[in-house]
């Protein structure tokens, strides 16, 4: 598949351009080689509008329509790395599928992903792209992710790509004992990326740093 020019890229989407992005992420402290490999190999340019393809390997968020953005590669790498730290993950819940880029980066590194998006148009496009990339261990759902995906719980990992003001109780309840959740928390302008680990007696909380995400919105469109 990587020999298909549509995925391997040319010019601003070429292997050399991607390698520069990987180098930059290394300099910013991403050390997990499997994660860096996914950044190198997932064709981010097919997840953005064609007009923006030449900017797909810049370390920046880009518009994906419906007032939403594809996350910055550094953030995707950081969240993936933080989620994977601590051992293999079977079932993972992702909230905020967006264009599906984060899903594509994570999919081969875990057992299965259950991903929820509240904007149906984005969900449909993400589904089509992942099918195109022959990623098959993902189930999609259109709905309000703050309620999680109860029938599939418990999850070994939960990754939230939009920021709630406080971590929804439903998500903590759907985390397996020993499972971990990576979630940006707080109002716009002062969000912190937090790792929550569920223990027999309550949860452990660790702040990973400052971030900027779109808010987690309740209800679906
Ligand atoms: N990781 C994504 C980034 C998505 S941006 C990517 O790589 O493209 C955050 C996404 O969360 C948006 O698509 C937004 O519609 C979605 N979102 C916001 N609130 C939500 C909610 N309550 N449930 C599900 N999705 C939500």
């Amino acid at each position: 598949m990587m020999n298909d020019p549509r995925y391997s890229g040319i010019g601003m989407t070429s292997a050399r351009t991607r390698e520069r992005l990987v180098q930059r992420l290394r300099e910013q402290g991403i050390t997990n080689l499997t994660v860096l490999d996914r950044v190198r190999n997932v064709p981010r340019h097919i997840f953005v509008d064609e007009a923006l393809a030449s900017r797909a390997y810049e370390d920046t968020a880009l518009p994906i329509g419906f007032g939403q953005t594809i996350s910055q590669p550094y953030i995707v790498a950081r969240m993936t790395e933080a989620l994977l730290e601590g051992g293999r993950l079977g079932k993972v819940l992702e909230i905020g599928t967006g264009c599906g880029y984060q899903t594509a980066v994570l999919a081969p590194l875990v057992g299965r992903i259950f991903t929820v998006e509240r904007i149906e148009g984005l969900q449909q496009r993400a589904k089509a792209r992942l099918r195109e990339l022959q990623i098959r261990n993902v189930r999609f759902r259109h709905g309000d992710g703050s309620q999680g995906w109860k029938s599939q719980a418990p999850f070994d990992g939960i990754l939230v790509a939009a920021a709630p003001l406080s971590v929804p109780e439903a998500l903590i309840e759907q985390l397996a004992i020993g499972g971990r959740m990576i979630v940006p928390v707080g109002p716009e302008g002062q969000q912190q990326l937090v790792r929550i680990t569920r223990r027999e007696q309550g949860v452990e909380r660790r702040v990973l740093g400052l971030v900027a995400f779109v808010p987690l919105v309740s209800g679906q469109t």
Side-chain angles (χ1 to χ4, degrees):
M1 189 182 68
M2 285 308 293
N3 293 326
D4 183 331
R6 180 161 147 68
Y7 303 126
S8 59
I10 47 163
M12 291 308 284
T13 61
S14 68
R16 203 156 51 110
T17 310
R18 296 182 198 193
E19 206 48 51
R20 270 200 296 271
L21 172 60
V22 168
Q23 192 48 41
R24 194 187 146 118
L25 299 187
R26 275 175 185 278
E27 285 160 14
Q28 288 180 293
I30 304 296
T31 55
N32 185 319
L33 295 179
T34 329
V35 172
L36 290 169
D37 231 39
R38 289 304 289 158
V39 172
R40 184 178 289 119
N41 292 324
V42 176
R44 191 170 187 259
H45 63 278
I46 72 161
F47 290 87
V48 300
D49 283 348
E50 226 160 310
L52 292 169
S54 66
R55 300 191 56 199
Y57 300 95
E58 291 175 18
D59 189 22
T60 179
L62 293 168
I64 53 173
F66 304 90
Q68 305 299 320
T69 54
I70 181 174
S71 307
Q72 182 194 354
Y74 171 75
I75 282 295
V76 171
R78 181 78 187 91
M79 289 183 86
T80 310
E81 184 171 81
L83 187 73
L84 294 175
E85 207 182 300
R88 216 197 103 75
L89 297 169
K91 279 175 121 175
V92 173
L93 173 68
E94 179 189 40
I95 308 301
T97 317
C99 67
Y101 175 70
Q102 165 81 71
T103 324
V105 167
L106 184 62
L109 312 182
V110 300
R112 293 181 77 188
I113 301 183
F114 296 81
T115 186
V116 186
E117 169 57 54
R118 66 181 285 277
I119 299 175
E120 192 164 15
L122 284 176
Q123 193 229 339
Q124 294 303 339
R125 277 196 230 162
K127 216 177 191 171
R129 287 184 182 117
L130 265 66
R131 194 181 308 130
E132 205 182 317
L133 295 177
Q134 294 171 29
I135 293 173
R136 300 183 214 280
N137 59 337
V138 178
R139 272 187 63 186
F140 296 83
R141 181 177 197 172
H142 172 224
D144 177 4
S146 57
Q147 300 308 310
W149 192 326
K150 207 169 174 189
S151 62
Q152 293 294 342
F155 298 98
D156 306 307
I158 300 181
L159 193 153
V160 187
L165 292 176
S166 65
V167 182
E169 210 42 54
L171 296 185
I172 294 178
E173 279 164 16
Q174 291 175 28
L175 205 53
I177 305 292
R180 44 209 190 265
M181 167 163 34
I182 309 296
V183 54
V185 186
E188 252 174 301
Q190 20 178 327
Q191 298 164 358
Q192 289 183 321
L193 190 64
V194 176
R195 178 169 60 216
I196 289 173
T197 310
R198 185 159 180 195
R199 301 292 181 202
E200 296 272 7
Q201 334 53 5
V203 296
E204 243 171 63
R205 212 183 145 96
R206 189 171 149 211
V207 174
L208 302 176
L210 288 174
V211 286
F213 276 82
V214 297
L216 187 79
V217 182
S218 288
Q220 60 187 63
T221 53

